[in-house]
Amino acid sequence: MKTYNEDRLKLLFENLKKEKRGGLGIFIAASDPNLEISLEILERLPQAGADMIELGMPFSDPMADGPTIQAASLRALKSGGSLKRTLEMVKKFRENDTKTPLVLMGYYNPIYNFGVKNFLIKAIKAGVDGLIIVDLPPEEDGELCLPAQKYNLPFIRLTAPTSDGERLPTILKNASGFIYYVSIMGITGTQSIATQNVQNAVKELKKHTGLPIAVGFGIKTRKDVADVTSFSDAAIVGSAIVNVIEQSLDSNGEGSDKTVADVLALVRDLAAGVRNKKIA
Amino acid sequence: MPTTNAPNTLREGPDENGHFGIFGGRYVAETLMPLVLDVENAWKTAKSDPIFWSELEYYRKHYIGRPSPLYFASRLTDYFQGAKLYFKRDELNHTGAHKINNVMGQALIARRMGKTKIIAETGAGQHGVATATACALFNLECEVFMGAEDVIRQKPNVDRMRLLGAKVHSVTSGSATLKDAMNEALRYWVSKADTHFYIIGTVAGPHPYPQMVRDFQCIIGEETKEQMFEAEGKLPDTLVACIGGGSNAIGLFHPFLDDDVEIIGVEAAGLGISTKQHAASLTGGRPGVLHGNRTYLLQDNDGQITEAHSISAGLDYPGIGPEHSWLFETGRIEYVSATDNEALEAFSLCSKLEGIIPALEPSHALAYIKNIISSLPKNHIIVMNMCGRGDKDLEAVIPRLEEMDLL
Ligand SMILES: Cc1ncc(COP(=O)(O)O)c(C=O)c1O
């Protein structure tokens, strides 16, 4: 059994601590709008200032996602995206980047279909640093969370505003890597966050766990990123990035150099938010 | 109140985590978990409360019109020259289908939980109409999610829902049919956790829905058992029902699972299983995870859910309730399929010979019966669940029957 023996997430959060700043996590859907452009974006994200990457595994029925990421998922599938291809992208990415943590985010069915063990082995070999599987709550830990633990691969848990003191211990029990705090009650890309509420929730969460806490869902701007990382360990931006991809497509729905350039420009802007640069 | 069952029964599932063998479960986002757990708790409390059941019994009798008759279909029986055919006439329920059996139960639970707003998904629109109806009765706000395609092909039901005061959301995401309506309803529910109750229309979704919906539909089979003893002094030999998500079928079947009765579920074969244009998840799918449970699904090599196809909007779903997947694998129930055209022929035949215009969904069950009944002996008794009436389907059916020269 070839287990995961990297520590990219741990090293990142240690470094962030040293640098006295929060991290920036960037979500893109693998193969959106196609493999070539998606891979180019992925490879250039770290240089533009992304500290961590969440690579979405496209799924036909993304139950927890709003219209923006739904559309990204469908674009990816239409261009031939698949779980196999997502893993190939990670492998390519790792040829030139051995430092930036990359976690896979998505839904369980493609993994179940691929075979859990097969998936874990291939994901670790490709250079994946963790898994965020939206539709696997702690009640279903036997499916993938515990097998991932056996392979030493972080299984990142989502907590929500409804995760109260009674629910939290259940959620945190088998959590590893970091905690992903879902900052709004709803689906991705629909609302903006209420910073004060999120701050209180993160504070409460810290009483229950020593793991780093990243905040996502509803974070869109440099200011959001700056606000959120003033009290959490990382901010994750998804729909805002995917929106830029969508906006950049030509009338046939095809991406271009502009797609890559626009995404990277937004990432640079957001990255300034975690580095406490003055907003121009 | 459902009675507890003896050991060695097929009727005691699911386990406390909602599993029927490897099927079922609670595969939902953490944002949904507290809602699902709340529903489970409310259901558990209601289930053991005699007041809940007597309240439901009142509405079953005086509002839905239960018990529904068990009717001997004598002209079809004569026509086929084989086994005796009975219809369990759930199409005579208020609102014209079995869906209201479940809706009344869940609406009462929503009320007990103090919820004032209801959401529902619908395919054929029968579940949407039933939900809108209960909401009118109980003064609850109602929003129904329906695939944009279904909004067109089931227009009369859209009008009925609106008339009853419900808001119909036309869902354009994905393939714009039932599965997408369910995705959308789940997404909406997450953002309205405090006020809204989600009434799922079939034995799918996360635990406790498959169990809860089944228990509300079991009235169909319980009545059938009693009525059959009255009519024939014995158990039926064969039960047949159509399967979309599988709620009318499990409602008829479940009370008979431990009895010496042959049970057959009929999926929609659409244009034919080999064409891939069908909705037969057991015949043509394999296990996967969608909408909160593990079950048989239509999916491609990558685990992406594929579109179902059936002329019947109510059967046009790429999954099936998890308990059916379990009963399929244990071999207790035989699952077969009938095509669009076979269903249309049965639709026409039943209308002409019995004066009963069946919904397209149970027409699939009749279509299968048509294949087997003539070779069965005269003392063999078949009960089919006539789970809906066909008025809603006329717009889709009439041109097709004209084409087939069956009008
Ligand atoms: C009349 C009728 N029968 C059957 C179905 C299929 O659902 P189920 O398999 O849950 O009974 C529907 C669904 O809309 C329906 O309207």
Side-chain angles (χ1 to χ4, degrees):
Chain A
M1 189 162 99
K2 215 54 175 114
T3 57
Y4 176 76
N5 57 10
E6 303 286 342
D7 261 333
R8 294 188 193 100
L9 279 172
K10 206 165 147 235
L11 288 174
L12 168 66
F13 286 109
E14 279 170 14
N15 281 337
L16 289 171
K17 226 173 213 133
K18 275 184 220 146
E19 291 177 32
K20 295 197 165 49
R21 67 175 180 94
L24 175 65
I26 296 292
F27 171 94
I28 56 169
S31 297
D32 171 31
N34 61 43
L35 175 62
E36 200 190 348
I37 294 176
S38 185
L39 182 61
E40 187 176 349
I41 294 173
L42 176 64
E43 293 186 317
R44 293 173 66 178
L45 280 176
Q47 216 216 336
D51 296 301
M52 166 169 76
I53 292 158
E54 280 184 60
L55 190 59
M57 300 174 278
F59 183 47
S60 54
D61 293 78
M63 217 170 68
D65 286 299
T68 306
I69 293 181
Q70 284 173 43
S73 220
L74 292 183
R75 280 196 299 272
L77 290 173
K78 216 170 138 203
S79 78
S82 66
L83 183 50
K84 187 160 162 264
R85 234 207 201 172
T86 302
L87 293 173
E88 282 163 11
M89 267 180 79
V90 178
K91 206 165 153 195
K92 270 255 162 64
F93 172 76
R94 279 285 169 245
E95 284 172 7
N96 301 308
D97 186 316
T98 54
K99 202 179 105 234
T100 311
L102 183 150
V103 300
L104 292 178
M105 182 163 189
Y107 297 80
Y108 183 46
N109 196 52
I111 296 172
Y112 177 66
N113 175 75
F114 199 86
V116 164
K117 197 172 153 194
N118 188 25
F119 169 75
L120 287 170
I121 291 168
K122 296 225 160 85
I124 289 166
K125 197 159 162 231
V128 168
D129 301 295
L131 304 173
I132 306 176
I133 309 301
V134 178
D135 53 353
L136 285 178
E139 278 73 7
E140 306 294 349
D141 270 356
E143 295 288 337
L144 183 61
C145 175
L146 298 181
Q149 241 174 34
K150 261 215 225 131
Y151 280 84
N152 224 7
L153 185 66
F155 193 88
I156 292 132
R157 277 268 183 255
L158 301 153
T159 74
T162 45
S163 314
D164 54 18
E166 202 181 320
R167 178 80 184 149
L168 273 177
T170 309
I171 300 174
L172 296 172
K173 186 165 160 246
N174 293 320
S176 46
F178 62 91
I179 299 297
Y180 188 135
Y181 178 71
V182 174
S183 52
I184 53 170
M185 273 319 284
I187 50 180
T188 54
T190 46
Q191 305 162 37
S192 295
I193 55 162
T195 313
Q196 189 56 51
N197 294 350
V198 177
Q199 181 164 9
N200 294 342
V202 169
K203 217 163 133 191
E204 183 60 31
L205 202 48
K206 282 193 167 153
K207 289 185 201 154
H208 289 87
T209 179
L211 288 169
I213 295 165
V215 178
F217 281 44
I219 298 176
K220 295 171 181 168
T221 63
R222 186 204 302 197
K223 179 170 184 313
D224 292 343
V225 167
D227 287 350
V228 162
T229 51
S230 69
F231 54 79
S232 73
D233 300 291
I236 298 172
V237 183
S239 294
I241 302 285
V242 173
N243 246 330
V244 167
I245 295 181
E246 190 172 308
Q247 297 295 322
S248 76
L249 303 179
D250 65 22
S251 54
N252 298 319
E254 302 285 343
S256 61
D257 289 348
K258 181 170 153 45
T259 307
V260 180
D262 289 359
V263 168
L264 296 178
L266 175 59
V267 174
R268 277 185 216 106
D269 182 52
L270 295 167
V274 291
R275 288 170 180 82
N276 275 332
K277 289 208 184 124
K278 284 249 159 45
I279 294 173
Chain B
M1 205 184 308
T3 49
T4 43
N5 300 298
N8 294 326
T9 166
L10 291 169
R11 301 191 58 200
E12 66 188 0
D15 68 17
E16 62 180 295
N17 290 314
H19 293 112
F20 303 90
I22 66 160
F23 300 104
R26 277 176 293 217
Y27 299 83
V28 296
E30 184 55 41
T31 40
L32 262 181
M33 264 324 280
L35 285 73
V36 167
L37 292 172
D38 276 355
V39 172
E40 187 186 342
N41 286 332
W43 163 232
K44 267 192 195 151
T45 316
K47 205 172 154 180
S48 56
D49 181 356
I51 295 173
F52 172 76
W53 290 101
S54 65
E55 205 179 350
L56 182 58
E57 181 49 37
Y58 172 86
Y59 288 106
R60 278 174 172 169
K61 186 170 171 196
H62 298 282
Y63 194 72
I64 300 178
R66 302 207 71 91
S68 69
L70 181 68
Y71 165 74
F72 173 48
S74 63
R75 289 205 66 207
L76 278 169
T77 300
D78 283 350
Y79 175 83
F80 289 127
Q81 289 287 310
K84 263 178 119 165
L85 179 60
Y86 280 83
F87 288 159
K88 176 62 175 164
R89 303 234 9 224
D90 257 54
E91 103 280 13
L92 291 176
N93 293 339
H94 180 42
T95 69
H98 66 291
K99 298 286 180 186
I100 190 105
N101 299 330
N102 162 47
V103 167
M104 289 310 278
Q106 287 197 52
L108 288 175
I109 288 181
R111 277 216 309 192
R112 288 167 75 98
M113 291 173 79
K115 304 279 181 179
T116 53
K117 298 174 182 172
I118 300 293
I119 52 178
E121 87 295 337
T122 197
Q126 288 304 118
H127 175 61
V129 167
T131 305
T133 298
C135 288
L137 176 67
F138 294 141
N139 191 24
L140 302 165
E141 221 176 284
C142 182
E143 293 178 71
V144 179
F145 293 81
M146 189 170 187
E149 279 226 10
D150 294 334
V151 169
I152 296 166
R153 62 178 163 172
Q154 304 284 328
K155 183 164 183 303
N157 275 342
V158 176
D159 292 337
R160 286 163 86 196
M161 286 185 265
R162 289 171 56 210
L163 183 63
L164 291 159
K167 180 168 178 202
V168 179
H169 295 272
S170 173
V171 175
T172 53
S173 61
S175 55
T177 56
L178 181 54
K179 90 172 163 77
D180 308 286
M182 191 148 181
N183 284 333
E184 215 50 46
L186 287 164
R187 290 180 185 122
Y188 191 76
W189 196 26
V190 172
S191 63
K192 312 275 181 199
D194 294 340
T195 45
H196 289 56
F197 186 97
Y198 182 13
I199 300 189
I200 294 183
T202 189
V203 281
H207 178 63
Y209 283 97
Q211 176 189 26
M212 178 168 67
V213 176
R214 175 199 74 197
D215 287 354
F216 289 140
Q217 291 294 1
C218 272
I219 187 72
I220 301 173
E222 285 157 13
E223 286 176 5
T224 301
K225 214 175 209 182
E226 247 185 72
Q227 291 166 322
M228 185 50 72
F229 270 108
E230 221 166 87
E232 299 274 354
K234 59 173 190 169
L235 288 166
D237 298 289
T238 303
L239 302 174
V240 185
C242 68
I243 304 218
S247 69
N248 87 85
I250 204 81
L252 174 65
F253 298 165
H254 199 262
F256 292 94
L257 283 178
D258 294 336
D259 299 322
D260 184 17
V261 173
E262 177 189 35
I263 303 182
I264 300 172
V266 186
E267 299 188 295
L271 303 180
I273 301 290
S274 60
T275 66
K276 306 239 164 161
Q277 301 283 305
H278 63 82
S281 352
L282 290 177
T283 313
R286 56 178 200 283
V289 172
L290 180 72
H291 292 155
N293 67 85
R294 189 197 330 265
T295 194
Y296 273 71
L297 298 172
L298 301 181
Q299 51 187 322
D300 69 11
N301 287 336
D302 187 39
Q304 308 298 335
I305 310 306
T306 52
E307 271 180 57
H309 169 84
S310 169
I311 188 172
S312 145
L315 305 184
D316 206 350
Y317 180 66
I320 182 169
E323 191 166 13
H324 284 289
S325 291
W326 177 68
L327 289 163
F328 170 67
E329 290 205 345
T330 59
R332 173 62 186 95
I333 296 183
E334 186 188 352
Y335 293 88
V336 298
S337 61
T339 63
D340 287 354
N341 282 346
E342 290 172 318
L344 285 163
E345 282 170 25
F347 188 102
S348 162
L349 188 69
C350 185
S351 304
K352 291 203 158 49
L353 286 187
E354 292 291 349
I356 296 171
I357 301 174
L360 271 171
E361 292 80 12
S363 296
H364 285 73
L366 185 58
Y368 182 74
I369 289 171
K370 217 167 143 237
N371 293 337
I372 58 164
I373 190 168
S374 299
S375 61
L376 293 167
K378 288 209 173 335
N379 61 353
H380 189 103
I381 298 172
I382 301 177
V383 176
M384 185 196 106
N385 198 3
M386 180 57 78
C387 57
R389 65 169 192 236
D391 313 45
K392 70 181 173 64
D393 295 316
L394 294 188
E395 213 165 313
V397 166
I398 296 299
R400 294 292 299 272
L401 291 185
E402 272 169 351
E403 262 170 50
M404 295 166 77
D405 221 4
L406 286 172
L407 203 61

